[in-house]
Amino acid sequence: RGGSSTSTSCPDLARINAEFCSAAYYDWSGVAHGCTRKLGMKICGFLQKNDSVDDKSRIVGFFNEQQPRSILTRDPRFRRTETDFSNLYARDLLPAKNGEEYTMQFLLEVVDILTNYVRKTFDRSTKVLDFHHPHQLLEGMEGFNLELCDQPESLEQILVDCRDTLKYGVRTGHPRFFNQLSSGLDIIGLAGEWLTSTANTNMFTYEIAPVFVLMEQLTLKKMREIIGWPNGEGDGIFSPGGAISNMYSVMVARYKHYPEVKIKGMAAAPRLVLFTSEHVGHLLMLSLKSHYSIKKASAVLGFGTENLILLKTDERGRVIPADLEAKVIDAKQKGFVPVFVNATAGSTVYGAFDPINEIADICEKYHIWLHVDGAWGGGLLLSRKHRHKLNGVERANSVTWNPHKMMGVPLQCSAILVREKGLLQGCNSMCAGYLFQPDKQYDVTYDTGDKAIQCGRHVDIFKFWLMWKSKGTIGFEKHIDRCLELSEYLYHKIKNREGYEMVFQGEPQHTNVCFWYIPPSLRLLPDGEEKRQRLHKVAPKIKAMMMECGTTMVGYQPQGDKVNFFRMVVSNPAVTRSDIDFLIDEIERLGQDL
Amino acid sequence: RGGSSTSTSCPDLARINAEFCSAAYYDWSGVAHGCTRKLGMKICGFLQKNDSVDDKSRIVGFFNEQQPRSILTRDPRFRRTETDFSNLYARDLLPAKNGEEYTMQFLLEVVDILTNYVRKTFDRSTKVLDFHHPHQLLEGMEGFNLELCDQPESLEQILVDCRDTLKYGVRTGHPRFFNQLSSGLDIIGLAGEWLTSTANTNMFTYEIAPVFVLMEQLTLKKMREIIGWPNGEGDGIFSPGGAISNMYSVMVARYKHYPEVKIKGMAAAPRLVLFTSEHVGHLLMLSLKSHYSIKKASAVLGFGTENLILLKTDERGRVIPADLEAKVIDAKQKGFVPVFVNATAGSTVYGAFDPINEIADICEKYHIWLHVDGAWGGGLLLSRKHRHKLNGVERANSVTWNPHKMMGVPLQCSAILVREKGLLQGCNSMCAGYLFQPDKQYDVTYDTGDKAIQCGRHVDIFKFWLMWKSKGTIGFEKHIDRCLELSEYLYHKIKNREGYEMVFQGEPQHTNVCFWYIPPSLRLLPDGEEKRQRLHKVAPKIKAMMMECGTTMVGYQPQGDKVNFFRMVVSNPAVTRSDIDFLIDEIERLGQDL
């Protein structure tokens, strides 16, 4: 077996662990393998005390990972060919003469690796990750060398590289991976992605992507209908992620109010100001404060970050409309021009929904572009039970909505939707004569290239379209309702539980549940700076242990004056109540002695 | 069989064609099926006159597409399961209880569809595309309905949808698809994409993409070494396409010269001007003039398109350095500040390489950021024979290089490389305390999120890394040399051939060969406006017929005062001399009566 995550500063332990593991392969204490010494010992001790069947099966599962069952061999109906790939190279595959057979065999081997991975992803007895430090992977694990060479490697080595890449990665579809807003591994979406990469085209014109271009058009229309724009009219495009979608919204707002900026630059406009919540979203890296997509957009587009004005929020993280109005008035008095307000529908940390209707009133009153960032919360529009949280979204001028988050679509899939037709085109087109180009034999209004800031654009639509076909709108609704129920379950489970404190009170609006775990040693400390300092370190320590053990992953971050807390989210359909229970058990197991 | 591409304004023809085809299934004249009436008749006539074996096999091949051979059934070693998918739904797949078996069977069916598609992609007896107009696909072909519904569809229908999506798409990997700079279907790259989508993570942090983040770092370093920066030092990131990579270069140049713009906006800077060739790249949609990535960047970033100054080119499309210097001096005299020069290494239409060293001299003299847009031409750096065309690239401050073009990597894969370390971070980071975040248990300098304008970032690296492993640097070199040889072959074949005129003289610098085909009816016309007007329509007409027949695809566009001409490019390793010959035959066959 390759390296363990044991620190290289402790080579003896690595050796001992390795021997230990091979000697006592199915032994309990084998769990120490893959964890740091101190942690390994702690877990071993814990497990010896708690010899439950559930734990046992989990641990044994760690080792089963080393004996994958092939879908092609375990089922007698499929027998795998015994091709020797050690003397075959990429050059022997198609388009090489007679390369078809080798190509098919090679692809089947890859599929075998991938389907094994899929199977294990859903298997709770496997780890979420097999953590290694950067220097360990860079030094090269046994048989896995990341360096690129002049000479080709055999297909056998390529297959090993594929296996190792998955082995040392993170199973984002595992039912106990709670680290990101995007999680899960939807089988239909996966099939859609495999097809997309096989089709290998881009979204620039109908000419080279006829089906995908139409699917995008129909799907965007459906999304606009769900938002509530009359007849689904308007425009939109799929972009490479929520940050870019939000950037589009700022660009389009600028173009609407100051179209001359396109030609003359920002010098042609007065001092423009933008508004967004101090809590605003896309904080994917949860321990990194102030990473905001609207802030990035203000820097990129030439507004300047100091012209982004942050709005106060209530204790639940929702923008206070009165604060917006006061700041709009203040900006105008200073001679600045308020041009854009972002209302967040589902903030990244708290899952807060800003009161869109009240914000829309202010935007209408002062003629400001209203954008709703529903990257995370947009999916709730599909739930009859929860869509009221976005009431007023139909009054927005533009909406960001990432199906790759709450709707479980594989990465990447993010849409920017714009209520007024023609603005995207006007904003990004570089060619006035475009619409009257008589050359092509088909209706070129379907070409999308000129709406985008990209030239070639990745095909993000197919997997989403295929998932929608396969689940129907009601399938997405069920999924969303279920995730929210699981969060309520977690909330009710911990809100009065010893050792827990909620970051904010009340049922979560989205699936975000934010909480501190307070280890026994801290519970009796008086409130004050010492307790704060110690509590600040608890979540990072537990997270580090989780990762080294590979049992589960959940995010944490500080927020304002609040020290590091856990942010739990659910978007993976594979999650059950038992996984929520597992997370809590794991936090307590790892955190009890801190 | 579903609809034909016959115009719906001619329903009788559609019916006649359909009957005709079913009656004379393997008949010659069946080629009329799928083409418009007039064209169909013309081809039929042509084929009856030219009853060669090669043509016959090509036409018969059109129908063979309807009888796919399964890799799982045709080989006795694999027998496909006989699962009935008509009563199964997405909800029956994983994570459903007992969903594993159905999941594996479903994925195998999908793989069967995809491998059939791969096989046919390389088969010259199949069509490049089965063209239909947007309204035809929107109205719904038999069994293929693009509309999204509330209720789910069965997995059987989902499989049909997958087949139809591929059927009505364009085979960008077909040896006779010459329409885009990106073409081909690399099997290793495809396997890499399948794995990437199965891993379903993003590039934001080492935490959730440890292996991919390191692969990106090593690959970028290798690319910088090849550019010639000492020890491969510098920085870089993979972005969603060449336009975004070029946008990064402008942003970083602005940050280097006017870092205060990040906070204060463009108002804090004097009037900044950018320079690029009047021929500059990323004109993917070849019949669309003035679609330029640097121009888009100047609009997006708040410079304004009028502050982008276009540079004169010589007859081969290369920037004239003296024109750059004159315009720099002129701009400075007007009080503007020249801040960025783009030198194109491989222009989209002519394949021209700007003289980088001479441009670099001027940039150094006037302290201007030099960017080299090697989106298309960067790949030539891997060829010992051709890399001299980019001499001076090591003097650039930044380089765009799209492996998804000349290197045959599946879409998308584009890198922006920056010589000075820290600028990308400084430009895009929204958090000063970032580097000293003590929370995480691993070295966070590997986290890339703060360098990017995106939050989540698609994993574009793995397929590229895997291809490099499997081919070695020498494999890419061979591929590039071979594509350039094929272009020379084309150039020599047509330069003195009757009915052809080259758009510019001399051997192509890249694989771009630009030419007019002059039908017999135009050859005797005197030069003048009438001939120009008629010639302008030739390429679009031939292209339209090519698409309706589905035999091949090649791009065309006007350029400056030059009327529409064909632009041939080669980047697909599947192309042989016979395919070049085929293209010329096809142009002459379709164009002879125009």
Side-chain angles (χ1 to χ4, degrees):
Chain A
R1 186 189 183 278
S4 84
S5 62
T6 310
S7 160
T8 50
S9 63
C10 187
D12 276 351
L13 181 62
R15 187 180 50 76
I16 292 163
N17 260 343
E19 285 169 8
F20 181 74
C21 287
S22 64
Y25 200 72
Y26 285 99
D27 189 283
W28 274 110
S29 310
V31 73
H33 173 86
C35 296
T36 59
R37 178 175 198 159
K38 189 177 150 209
L39 179 67
M41 296 305 126
K42 181 187 272 180
I43 297 171
C44 288
F46 167 77
L47 291 172
Q48 277 151 6
K49 279 186 296 184
N50 299 273
D51 193 348
S52 77
V53 172
D54 184 56
D55 277 337
K56 196 162 205 162
S57 72
R58 192 176 78 216
I59 304 309
V60 171
F62 286 4
F63 297 100
N64 282 346
E65 292 187 53
Q66 305 182 349
Q67 307 167 320
R69 289 172 294 152
S70 162
I71 57 159
L72 301 175
T73 53
R74 73 193 162 125
D75 185 326
R77 287 173 300 181
F78 301 105
R79 274 186 296 145
R80 188 157 77 225
T81 167
E82 294 301 328
T83 309
D84 176 9
F85 290 103
S86 66
N87 284 313
L88 289 174
Y89 290 86
R91 60 177 175 259
D92 300 311
L93 304 176
L94 284 172
K97 220 175 168 176
N98 305 321
E100 186 176 308
E101 205 54 40
Y102 290 137
T103 300
M104 295 303 143
Q105 286 163 13
F106 172 74
L107 288 176
L108 270 190
E109 286 294 326
V110 171
V111 167
D112 193 45
I113 292 168
L114 300 182
T115 49
N116 260 309
Y117 180 83
V118 169
R119 193 174 55 75
K120 285 193 283 183
T121 289
F122 291 95
D123 177 356
R124 289 180 175 76
S125 72
T126 65
K127 290 209 251 185
V128 173
L129 80 165
D130 182 6
F131 181 78
H132 292 77
H133 285 279
H135 67 87
Q136 293 176 305
L137 288 174
L138 285 171
E139 284 156 10
M141 314 301 290
E142 191 182 321
F144 189 38
N145 173 10
L146 296 174
E147 291 290 340
L148 299 170
C149 299
D150 288 349
Q151 298 300 321
E153 286 186 354
S154 73
L155 295 182
E156 184 171 83
Q157 181 60 43
I158 294 301
L159 291 167
V160 168
D161 289 341
C162 287
R163 272 185 214 104
D164 284 344
T165 298
L166 292 171
K167 176 176 165 52
Y168 298 113
V170 177
R171 296 206 172 112
T172 58
H174 194 289
R176 290 168 184 169
F177 174 83
F178 305 111
N179 206 64
Q180 310 291 122
L181 302 180
S182 305
S183 64
L185 183 57
D186 187 89
I187 300 299
I188 304 288
L190 179 62
E193 276 293 76
W194 287 1
L195 186 145
T196 299
S197 37
T198 311
N200 192 32
T201 191
N202 81 53
M203 297 293 285
F204 201 63
T205 57
Y206 180 84
E207 183 171 305
I208 54 163
V211 183
F212 299 134
V213 162
L214 296 178
M215 283 173 176
E216 182 177 71
Q217 200 189 54
L218 288 171
T219 307
L220 288 169
K221 183 163 194 285
K222 190 91 181 169
M223 293 171 88
R224 290 191 301 262
E225 284 167 5
I226 290 166
I227 286 171
W229 291 336
N231 303 314
E233 289 286 320
D235 206 344
I237 200 165
F238 281 84
S239 93
I244 304 282
S245 290
N246 283 344
M247 200 169 95
Y248 268 110
S249 73
V250 178
M251 284 168 60
V252 172
R254 176 174 70 182
Y255 180 74
K256 173 71 179 173
H257 288 278
Y258 294 93
E260 60 273 27
V261 167
K262 180 178 173 181
I263 293 162
K264 297 187 172 294
M266 287 296 274
R271 185 159 166 185
L272 307 177
V273 289
L274 318 168
F275 301 86
T276 194
S277 164
E278 59 187 14
H279 266 239
V280 79
H282 294 301
L283 201 146
L284 281 191
M285 187 182 185
L286 287 171
S287 50
L288 201 169
K289 274 197 289 186
S290 307
H291 174 122
Y292 302 134
S293 62
I294 304 289
K295 194 170 174 190
K296 283 213 174 188
S298 66
V300 168
L301 304 178
F303 290 83
T305 53
E306 72 177 16
N307 294 308
L308 174 66
I309 297 171
L310 298 183
L311 303 172
K312 277 195 198 138
T313 55
D314 66 16
E315 74 294 346
R316 296 287 300 260
R318 294 169 299 207
V319 155
I320 298 166
D323 188 59
L324 168 63
E325 184 156 21
K327 284 174 175 160
V328 165
I329 292 168
D330 181 59
K332 287 167 82 82
Q333 280 171 347
K334 287 177 179 153
F336 309 156
V337 178
V339 74
F340 175 94
V341 171
N342 176 57
T344 308
S347 64
T348 309
V349 180
Y350 282 18
F353 288 80
D354 289 340
I356 301 175
N357 265 321
E358 293 170 66
I359 293 172
D361 289 341
I362 297 166
C363 288
E364 283 169 17
K365 185 170 167 188
Y366 297 97
H367 307 291
I368 308 174
W369 184 277
L370 172 58
H371 175 67
V372 170
D373 178 0
W376 172 227
L380 271 62
L381 289 168
L382 292 164
S383 161
R384 281 164 287 193
K385 188 171 170 195
H386 296 286
R387 71 165 283 146
H388 68 90
K389 294 168 186 174
L390 290 100
N391 275 351
V393 67
E394 71 284 357
R395 297 171 67 187
N397 299 99
S398 57
V399 176
T400 291
W401 176 352
N402 288 9
H404 73 215
K405 290 189 172 138
M406 197 58 206
M407 294 169 78
V409 178
L411 289 160
Q412 61 191 33
C413 192
S414 170
I416 171 70
L417 300 140
V418 181
R419 193 169 65 190
E420 183 177 330
K421 230 174 167 166
L423 285 183
L424 264 180
Q425 183 89 36
C427 178
N428 295 312
S429 164
M430 291 294 132
C431 177
Y434 175 74
L435 288 171
F436 301 100
Q437 207 194 342
D439 274 343
K440 291 203 180 177
Q441 93 278 28
Y442 63 86
D443 180 356
V444 294
T445 57
Y446 292 94
D447 292 348
T448 61
D450 229 27
K451 286 183 193 175
I453 56 170
Q454 302 174 266
C455 289
R457 192 158 56 89
H458 192 257
V459 177
D460 295 332
I461 185 61
F462 181 67
K463 59 196 164 195
F464 182 32
W465 179 89
L466 198 68
M467 282 175 68
W468 205 319
K469 276 274 179 187
S470 74
K471 291 174 202 302
T473 316
I474 60 155
F476 283 123
E477 180 180 42
K478 274 184 198 158
H479 163 64
I480 286 156
D481 288 350
R482 204 171 156 277
C483 289
L484 279 137
E485 276 164 35
L486 285 167
S487 289
E488 283 165 33
Y489 172 76
L490 170 62
Y491 168 74
H492 289 290
K493 181 179 172 110
I494 60 173
K495 71 171 175 173
N496 296 317
R497 190 181 177 98
E498 197 189 348
Y500 290 83
E501 197 174 313
M502 306 308 290
V503 173
F504 57 84
Q505 300 308 312
E507 295 213 353
Q509 284 192 284
H510 204 314
T511 70
N512 307 51
V513 179
C514 297
F515 62 90
W516 288 280
Y517 170 71
I518 302 162
S521 67
L522 268 67
R523 288 180 202 162
L524 296 177
L525 280 185
D527 286 344
E529 199 48 33
E530 190 204 337
K531 186 172 180 180
R532 274 175 54 83
Q533 289 300 326
R534 286 180 62 184
L535 186 57
H536 189 56
K537 291 175 187 155
V538 168
K541 278 186 190 159
I542 292 176
K543 170 74 175 276
M545 288 190 282
M546 277 176 180
M547 284 181 68
E548 300 221 13
C549 280
T551 47
T552 183
M553 277 177 83
V554 61
Y556 69 86
Q557 70 290 303
Q559 171 88 43
D561 59 355
K562 296 184 162 70
V563 299
N564 278 320
F565 54 85
F566 285 113
R567 181 213 61 176
M568 172 69 180
V569 281
V570 182
S571 63
N572 181 353
V575 177
T576 62
R577 290 189 175 197
S578 74
D579 299 307
I580 307 280
D581 295 339
F582 179 88
L583 176 77
I584 295 303
D585 290 348
E586 198 67 358
I587 287 174
E588 292 175 2
R589 179 172 77 79
L590 298 169
Q592 65 181 351
D593 296 338
L594 292 178
Chain B
R1 188 189 183 279
S4 84
S5 62
T6 309
S7 158
T8 52
S9 63
C10 188
D12 277 352
L13 180 63
R15 186 180 51 76
I16 292 164
N17 260 342
E19 285 169 8
F20 182 75
C21 286
S22 62
Y25 200 72
Y26 286 98
D27 189 284
W28 271 113
S29 311
V31 74
H33 172 88
C35 297
T36 60
R37 177 174 198 162
K38 190 176 150 210
L39 179 69
M41 295 304 125
K42 179 187 275 179
I43 297 171
C44 290
F46 167 78
L47 290 174
Q48 277 149 6
K49 279 186 295 183
N50 299 272
D51 194 346
S52 76
V53 172
D54 183 58
D55 277 326
K56 196 162 204 159
S57 72
R58 191 178 80 218
I59 305 307
V60 171
F62 286 4
F63 297 100
N64 282 347
E65 293 187 51
Q66 304 182 349
Q67 306 166 319
R69 288 173 295 153
S70 162
I71 57 158
L72 301 176
T73 54
R74 75 195 159 123
D75 184 327
R77 287 173 300 181
F78 300 106
R79 273 185 297 144
R80 189 158 76 224
T81 167
E82 294 301 326
T83 308
D84 176 9
F85 289 104
S86 66
N87 284 313
L88 289 174
Y89 291 85
R91 60 176 174 259
D92 300 313
L93 303 177
L94 284 172
K97 220 175 167 177
N98 305 321
E100 187 176 308
E101 204 56 38
Y102 290 137
T103 299
M104 296 302 143
Q105 287 163 12
F106 172 75
L107 287 176
L108 269 191
E109 288 292 326
V110 171
V111 167
D112 193 43
I113 292 167
L114 300 182
T115 49
N116 260 309
Y117 179 84
V118 170
R119 194 173 53 74
K120 286 192 284 183
T121 289
F122 291 94
D123 178 356
R124 288 179 177 76
S125 72
T126 64
K127 290 209 253 184
V128 174
L129 80 165
D130 182 7
F131 182 79
H132 292 78
H133 285 279
H135 67 87
Q136 293 175 306
L137 287 174
L138 285 171
E139 283 156 11
M141 315 302 291
E142 191 183 320
F144 188 40
N145 174 9
L146 295 174
E147 290 290 340
L148 299 170
C149 299
D150 288 350
Q151 299 299 321
E153 286 187 355
S154 72
L155 294 183
E156 184 171 81
Q157 182 59 43
I158 293 301
L159 291 167
V160 168
D161 290 341
C162 287
R163 272 185 215 103
D164 284 344
T165 298
L166 291 172
K167 176 177 166 51
Y168 298 113
V170 177
R171 296 205 173 114
T172 58
H174 195 289
R176 290 168 184 170
F177 175 83
F178 305 111
N179 207 64
Q180 310 291 124
L181 302 181
S182 305
S183 63
L185 183 57
D186 187 90
I187 300 299
I188 304 288
L190 178 63
E193 276 293 75
W194 287 3
L195 185 145
T196 298
S197 38
T198 310
N200 193 32
T201 190
N202 81 53
M203 296 294 284
F204 201 63
T205 56
Y206 180 85
E207 184 170 306
I208 55 164
V211 183
F212 298 134
V213 162
L214 296 178
M215 283 173 176
E216 181 175 72
Q217 199 190 54
L218 289 172
T219 307
L220 288 169
K221 183 161 194 282
K222 189 92 180 169
M223 294 172 88
R224 290 190 302 260
E225 283 167 5
I226 288 166
I227 285 171
W229 291 336
N231 301 316
E233 288 287 319
D235 207 344
I237 200 165
F238 281 84
S239 93
I244 304 281
S245 290
N246 283 344
M247 201 169 95
Y248 269 110
S249 73
V250 179
M251 285 168 60
V252 171
R254 176 174 69 183
Y255 179 74
K256 172 72 179 174
H257 287 278
Y258 295 92
E260 60 273 29
V261 167
K262 179 178 175 182
I263 293 162
K264 297 187 172 294
M266 286 297 273
R271 185 160 166 185
L272 307 178
V273 288
L274 318 169
F275 301 86
T276 194
S277 165
E278 58 187 14
H279 266 238
V280 80
H282 295 302
L283 201 147
L284 279 193
M285 188 181 185
L286 287 172
S287 52
L288 201 168
K289 276 195 290 185
S290 307
H291 174 122
Y292 303 134
S293 61
I294 303 289
K295 195 170 174 188
K296 283 215 172 187
S298 66
V300 169
L301 304 178
F303 289 84
T305 54
E306 71 177 16
N307 294 310
L308 174 66
I309 297 172
L310 298 183
L311 302 174
K312 279 194 198 138
T313 55
D314 64 18
E315 74 293 345
R316 295 286 302 261
R318 294 170 296 207
V319 155
I320 298 166
D323 188 59
L324 168 62
E325 183 155 21
K327 283 173 175 161
V328 166
I329 291 168
D330 181 60
K332 286 168 82 81
Q333 279 171 349
K334 288 177 180 154
F336 309 157
V337 178
V339 74
F340 175 94
V341 171
N342 176 56
T344 308
S347 65
T348 309
V349 181
Y350 282 19
F353 287 80
D354 290 340
I356 302 175
N357 265 321
E358 293 170 65
I359 294 172
D361 289 341
I362 298 166
C363 288
E364 282 169 17
K365 184 170 168 188
Y366 297 95
H367 306 291
I368 309 174
W369 184 278
L370 172 59
H371 175 66
V372 170
D373 177 1
W376 173 226
L380 270 62
L381 288 169
L382 292 164
S383 161
R384 279 162 287 191
K385 187 172 170 194
H386 296 287
R387 71 165 285 147
H388 68 89
K389 294 167 186 174
L390 291 100
N391 274 352
V393 67
E394 72 284 357
R395 297 172 66 188
N397 299 100
S398 56
V399 176
T400 289
W401 176 352
N402 288 11
H404 73 216
K405 290 187 171 139
M406 198 57 206
M407 294 169 78
V409 177
L411 290 157
Q412 60 192 30
C413 191
S414 170
I416 170 69
L417 300 140
V418 181
R419 194 170 63 192
E420 184 177 331
K421 229 174 169 167
L423 285 181
L424 265 180
Q425 182 88 36
C427 178
N428 294 312
S429 164
M430 290 294 134
C431 178
Y434 175 71
L435 289 171
F436 302 100
Q437 208 194 340
D439 274 343
K440 291 203 178 177
Q441 92 278 28
Y442 64 87
D443 179 357
V444 294
T445 57
Y446 292 95
D447 293 349
T448 62
D450 229 27
K451 285 183 194 176
I453 57 171
Q454 302 174 267
C455 288
R457 191 159 56 92
H458 192 258
V459 177
D460 295 332
I461 185 61
F462 181 68
K463 58 195 166 197
F464 182 32
W465 179 89
L466 198 67
M467 281 176 69
W468 205 318
K469 277 271 181 191
S470 74
K471 292 173 202 302
T473 315
I474 60 155
F476 284 122
E477 179 180 42
K478 274 184 197 160
H479 163 64
I480 285 155
D481 287 349
R482 205 171 154 277
C483 289
L484 279 138
E485 276 163 35
L486 285 167
S487 289
E488 283 165 32
Y489 172 76
L490 170 62
Y491 168 73
H492 289 291
K493 182 179 172 113
I494 61 173
K495 71 172 175 172
N496 296 317
R497 190 181 178 99
E498 196 188 347
Y500 289 83
E501 199 175 312
M502 305 309 290
V503 174
F504 57 85
Q505 301 309 311
E507 294 213 353
Q509 285 192 283
H510 204 317
T511 71
N512 307 50
V513 178
C514 296
F515 61 92
W516 288 282
Y517 170 71
I518 302 162
S521 67
L522 267 67
R523 288 179 203 165
L524 296 175
L525 280 185
D527 286 346
E529 196 52 30
E530 191 203 336
K531 186 173 178 179
R532 274 176 53 83
Q533 289 300 324
R534 286 180 61 184
L535 186 57
H536 189 55
K537 290 175 187 153
V538 169
K541 278 186 190 160
I542 292 176
K543 170 74 175 276
M545 288 190 282
M546 275 176 181
M547 284 182 66
E548 301 220 14
C549 280
T551 48
T552 183
M553 277 177 84
V554 61
Y556 69 85
Q557 70 290 304
Q559 171 88 44
D561 59 355
K562 295 184 162 69
V563 300
N564 277 321
F565 54 85
F566 286 113
R567 183 214 60 177
M568 173 67 181
V569 279
V570 181
S571 63
N572 181 351
V575 178
T576 63
R577 290 189 174 196
S578 74
D579 299 307
I580 305 282
D581 295 339
F582 179 90
L583 175 76
I584 294 303
D585 290 349
E586 198 68 358
I587 286 174
E588 293 175 1
R589 179 172 76 80
L590 297 169
Q592 64 181 352
D593 295 339
L594 290 179

